[in-house]
Amino acid sequence: MRRMVVLMSGLLLSIVSAFAQVEFGVRFGGAYSSLIQRLDKSYESGGRMGFSVAGLIQIPIYKGLSFVPEIGLIYQGGDYYSYPSTEGMTTHNMYKYYSLQLPFDLAYTFQISDIKLSVFAGPTLDVSLAGKMKMEDTGVESNIEFGKKEEPNLRTIDLGVNVGLSVEYSRFFFSINNVAGVLDRRTVKRENESTLFQNNVTFSVGYFFRK
């Protein structure tokens, strides 16, 4: 019984100690996003500039290893072609929309003098919220009805793989990361149409609220 009490007390102290070292941060940056599809045996992408703003938590696990979940808002989009014909894809679709992005990263940090260098990677959940789409041939802009199975809308949910690098000095940090979507964003897929993936690269500056 005494051993159990000692073990539980040690575990509780470890948990309290770990949470006492939890650090909070914010970041803001520019994002280059694109919709990628395969046409004529090559990958084509149409991109646009946007932005990303997020809050994050750094939870230490062991030595330089930590768990870093985020919640952020990203303005993203891209272009792609649809409606295949004998002449090729005939409709050019252009998108810009907001998404809630939730990366769940593992990070490893190297201390180099006063600089902290971190590499991180993990899965990302992307939930599309609202946005606009336009077909180049008509020039008419309309709301994207996410999840509606009708061309040229997009799926609501995307999953991605996030990888990146961060450099920190005196609580401020600069990071670059890439989220590569792994789910087809099309709600309607016709014969001979390729899969469509969302990709975005973000350059951010941020700050950790440390004691």
Side-chain angles (χ1 to χ4, degrees):
M1 184 65 181
R2 182 177 297 176
R3 289 182 179 178
M4 180 63 69
V5 171
V6 171
L7 181 61
M8 294 300 294
S9 298
L11 180 60
L12 181 60
L13 287 174
S14 298
I15 294 173
V16 171
S17 177
F19 274 94
Q21 298 176 52
V22 168
E23 297 171 344
F24 297 87
V26 293
R27 64 166 183 81
F28 177 81
Y32 178 79
S33 60
S34 55
L35 289 167
I36 301 173
Q37 64 181 150
R38 188 175 184 183
L39 298 175
D40 299 326
K41 298 182 180 180
S42 64
Y43 286 94
E44 302 289 339
S45 64
R48 63 182 57 251
M49 293 302 298
F51 67 87
S52 174
V53 58
L56 57 99
I57 303 175
Q58 190 172 61
I59 304 171
I61 297 176
Y62 179 73
K63 292 187 176 180
L65 187 66
S66 58
F67 175 52
V68 188
E70 280 190 18
I71 179 168
L73 180 70
I74 184 168
Y75 183 56
Q76 60 183 345
D79 305 356
Y80 81 95
Y81 290 88
S82 61
Y83 291 102
S85 70
T86 55
E87 290 79 25
M89 299 294 179
T90 59
T91 301
H92 185 200
N93 308 294
M94 295 171 282
Y95 293 83
K96 50 186 179 181
Y97 58 94
Y98 295 93
S99 291
L100 188 66
Q101 209 167 70
L102 303 167
F104 299 93
D105 296 323
L106 283 178
Y108 192 85
T109 301
F110 302 88
Q111 184 80 43
I112 306 173
S113 186
D114 294 334
I115 297 174
K116 292 183 178 181
L117 176 65
S118 300
V119 291
F120 55 89
T124 297
L125 174 65
D126 188 296
V127 183
S128 299
L129 302 174
K132 298 286 187 179
M133 60 183 176
K134 182 169 66 174
M135 292 185 182
E136 187 178 48
D137 55 344
T138 63
V140 176
E141 190 173 66
S142 59
N143 293 326
I144 305 172
E145 298 182 66
F146 289 104
K148 187 175 182 180
K149 293 190 175 182
E150 182 177 301
E151 186 74 34
N153 294 291
L154 300 177
R155 294 184 185 274
T156 307
I157 301 295
D158 191 16
L159 294 176
V161 177
N162 183 40
V163 293
L165 175 70
S166 174
V167 179
E168 180 193 342
Y169 177 75
S170 187
R171 300 188 184 181
F172 292 92
F173 66 89
F174 168 80
S175 67
I176 177 173
N177 71 288
N178 180 76
V179 177
V182 298
L183 299 183
D184 189 355
R185 295 308 307 268
R186 294 179 185 270
T187 56
V188 177
K189 188 175 180 181
R190 299 173 179 81
E191 186 178 357
N192 298 323
E193 283 192 327
S194 63
T195 50
L196 183 70
F197 301 104
Q198 180 75 63
N199 186 82
N200 58 68
V201 178
T202 303
F203 298 86
S204 299
V205 291
Y207 183 82
F208 277 111
F209 299 96
R210 293 199 170 108
K211 296 179 181 178

